[in-house]
């Protein structure tokens, strides 16, 4: 080989070494419920994440890649904790994202404090989860964001006697507590409460308890998905609303993707939520256009899809600002500054609580052009998690 050839080879090797050294792959552990009773919610979350990745990977800095290492928590806390541990210790992820179920998030959160690996929650709404670890930030909501406002709003309608029926696990307990607080503080009186297994298929006995109590208003909470259709069918079959009982809830009872299954018997119910496909906002119209182009009418986004989209937006911004090189502490410092124009409206992260600040909408369900829709009738601006304001750290 000539001297010129040797020198050319050495230069090529050196250039390749520089290229490899400058390349950066950010590994993110994505924990979702691909199976179990929350699989439908998990699918909504997955679609929101995947759409953002597809549209915005091109926006990453040159040489920076993002690798999502995906795991199924089966909606079980012990499984979620195990896969999170694997992602942290074996896969060496820089971030954890996702989690549908609050019990799973509560099981995972202590691991983030030990490893100083941030957890970016895209659904789990258990109110106390962000207090378990300083490395948890939430882009979804808490049940107090939505259930307390609908409780206070109910009393303003002249409905003074209330009853609640909720699924018996963390988010159901939070929803019940928040509704009761909002309702009683506004002057309402609770006639009773009932809890049922979160994966039950028979809601009739619990709905009958509502009817027998004869309240002015019943607050009903189930996990978003098929459970919403099932409990609303029981409400219809037992004639609860025909008995003069108003039904209210959070957006979990009337999620957008379930409205075609619910149909006309879901009309006239009042809910509080942070997102509806009917929201008239430029960011929402752009999101829905991209969604329809990707999923071609085979899926309808809901609040879970949007939370995953927003969290991905914040994570990609972090990667762009740091060129993919950041510590857990640096990531958490960045998340405390996040402000986004989301499909659901303006959102920000409260630096004091690491929970989301967002608009909450009171919606009335109604039939329009043969379809059940949620129509916003009132807006509460820039709502912080009320529970944290009512229960400051000791």
């Amino acid at each position: 080989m000539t001297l010129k050839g040797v020198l050319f080879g050495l230069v090529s090797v050196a250039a390749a070494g520089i290229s490899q050294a400058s390349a950066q792959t950010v590994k993110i552990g994505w924990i979702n419920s691909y199976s179990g009773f929350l699989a439908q919610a998990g699918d909504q979350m997955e679609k929101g994440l995947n759409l953002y990745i597809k549209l915005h990977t091109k926006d990453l800095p040159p040489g920076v890649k993002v690798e999502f290492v995906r795991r199924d928590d089966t909606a079980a806390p012990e499984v979620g904790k195990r896969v999170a541990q694997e992602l942290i210790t074996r896969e060496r992820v820089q971030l954890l994202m996702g989690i549908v179920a609050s019990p799973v998030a509560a099981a995972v959160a202590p691991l983030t404090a030990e490893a100083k690996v941030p957890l970016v929650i895209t659904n789990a709404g258990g109110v106390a989860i962000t207090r378990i670890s300083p490395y948890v930030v939430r882009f979804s909501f808490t049940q107090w964001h939505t259930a307390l406002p609908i409780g206070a709003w109910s009393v303003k309608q002249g409905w003074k006697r209330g009853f609640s029926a909720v699924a018996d696990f963390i988010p159901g307990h939070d929803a019940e507590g928040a509704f009761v607080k909002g309702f009683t503080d506004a002057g309402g009186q609770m006639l009773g409460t009932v809890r049922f297994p979160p994966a039950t298929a028979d809601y009739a006995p619990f709905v009958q308890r509502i009817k027998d109590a004869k309240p002015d208003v019943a607050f009903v909470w189930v996990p978003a998905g098929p459970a919403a259709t099932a409990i609303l069918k029981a409400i219809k079959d037992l004639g609860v609303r025909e008995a003069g009982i108003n039904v209210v809830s959070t957006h979990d009872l009337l999620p957008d993707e379930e409205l075609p299954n619910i149909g006309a018997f879901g009309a006239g119910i009042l809910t509080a939520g942070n997102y509806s496909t009917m929201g008239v906002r430029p960011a929402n119209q752009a999101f829905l256009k991209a969604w329809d182009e990707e999923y071609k009418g085979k899926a309808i986004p809901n609040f879970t899809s949007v939370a995953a989209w927003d969290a991905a937006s914040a994570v990609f911004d972090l990667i762009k600002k740091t060129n993919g090189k950041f510590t857990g502490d640096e990531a958490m410092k960045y998340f405390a500054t996040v402000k986004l124009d989301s499909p659901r409206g303006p959102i920000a992260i409260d630096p004091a609580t690491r929970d989301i600040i967002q608009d909450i909408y009171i919606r009335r369900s109604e039939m329009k052009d043969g379809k059940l829709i949620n129509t916003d009738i009132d807006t509460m601006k820039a709502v912080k998690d009320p529970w944290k304001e009512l229960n400051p750290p000791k």
Side-chain angles (χ1 to χ4, degrees):
M1 181 179 293
T2 66
L3 178 61
K4 183 177 180 181
V6 170
L7 291 174
F8 179 80
L10 290 173
V11 170
S12 298
V13 170
I18 292 171
S19 176
Q20 290 173 4
S22 62
Q24 176 72 13
T25 297
V26 179
K27 292 183 75 172
I28 298 174
W30 174 254
I31 302 174
N32 199 358
S33 296
Y34 294 104
S35 58
F37 76 104
L38 294 174
Q40 180 168 318
D43 182 62
Q44 287 288 332
M45 201 164 73
E46 189 83 5
K47 283 182 168 63
L49 174 76
N50 289 345
L51 181 60
Y52 192 90
I53 293 170
K54 180 175 182 178
L55 296 178
H56 294 282
T57 294
K58 65 181 184 334
D59 302 329
L60 293 171
V64 176
K65 297 180 180 179
V66 177
E67 177 186 349
F68 282 85
V69 185
R70 303 177 193 239
R71 294 290 186 270
D72 182 8
D73 61 30
T74 72
E78 65 278 8
V79 177
K81 183 177 181 179
R82 175 175 55 77
V83 299
Q85 187 73 60
E86 291 173 357
L87 289 166
I88 292 169
T89 59
R90 295 183 188 176
E91 297 293 342
R92 302 289 183 182
V93 299
Q94 291 173 254
L95 296 172
L96 295 172
M97 285 184 70
I99 306 186
V100 177
S102 293
V104 174
V108 169
L111 303 178
T112 70
E114 296 171 13
K116 296 186 177 181
V117 172
L119 168 60
V120 181
I121 292 178
T122 58
N123 187 70
V127 70
I129 294 169
T130 54
R131 286 195 178 167
I132 298 174
S133 165
Y135 292 89
V136 176
V137 60
R138 177 161 31 212
F139 280 84
S140 50
F141 61 95
T142 73
Q143 294 301 333
W144 283 73
H145 271 110
T146 50
L148 186 143
I150 199 67
W153 192 88
S154 294
V155 176
K156 291 180 181 179
Q157 311 316 302
W159 307 332
K160 297 297 181 68
R161 299 180 308 149
F163 193 95
S164 74
V166 304
D168 190 10
F169 70 134
I170 290 175
H173 303 167
D174 283 352
E176 176 188 271
F179 176 81
V180 170
K181 176 68 175 174
F183 189 73
T184 56
D185 279 3
Q189 174 191 1
M190 292 298 297
L191 302 182
T193 63
V194 63
R195 295 176 177 178
F196 43 81
T200 187
D202 183 10
Y203 293 100
F206 309 104
V207 172
Q208 186 63 52
R209 291 274 297 276
I210 297 172
K211 188 175 182 182
D212 292 344
K214 300 179 180 179
D216 300 323
V217 60
F219 175 78
V220 177
W221 189 91
V222 292
T229 298
I231 198 166
L232 284 170
K233 186 175 187 305
I235 288 169
K236 173 183 177 291
D237 292 344
L238 290 169
V240 170
R241 298 170 67 198
E242 289 76 8
I245 300 170
N246 298 283
V247 177
V248 301
S249 187
T250 66
H251 51 200
D252 303 84
L253 187 63
L254 288 170
D256 288 284
E257 83 283 4
E258 197 66 19
L259 297 182
N261 298 326
I262 295 170
F265 65 78
I269 292 174
L270 285 303
T271 58
N274 65 357
Y275 177 73
S276 166
T277 57
M278 302 305 295
V280 181
R281 294 177 288 275
N284 191 35
Q285 291 167 334
F287 170 73
L288 291 173
K289 182 176 184 293
W291 182 280
D292 289 341
E293 289 175 354
E294 177 66 16
Y295 299 115
K296 305 185 187 308
K298 295 180 181 179
I300 301 170
N302 71 358
F303 56 88
T304 309
S305 317
V306 170
W309 169 278
D310 289 338
S313 176
V315 167
F316 271 50
D317 283 348
L318 166 67
I319 294 169
K320 286 185 282 186
K321 284 180 169 59
T322 62
N323 210 39
K325 299 176 182 179
F326 54 85
T327 66
D329 290 319
E330 289 167 343
M332 294 308 299
K333 184 177 180 180
Y334 165 76
F335 289 134
T337 69
V338 167
K339 294 182 179 180
L340 296 174
D341 181 20
S342 162
R344 56 182 133 163
I347 65 171
I349 296 298
D350 182 350
T353 65
R354 288 165 281 106
D355 235 317
I356 194 164
I357 304 170
Q358 60 190 325
D359 293 350
I360 298 298
Y361 308 96
I362 303 294
R363 306 100 53 84
R364 177 183 288 112
S365 56
E366 59 186 8
M367 294 299 293
K368 184 176 181 179
D369 300 327
K371 297 180 179 180
L372 184 65
I373 63 170
N374 288 313
T375 301
D376 296 344
I377 61 173
D378 200 358
T379 303
M380 298 163 202
K381 294 287 189 180
V383 178
K384 294 184 178 182
D385 172 36
W387 184 87
K388 292 181 178 67
E389 295 191 314
L390 292 167
N391 298 274
K394 296 180 181 178

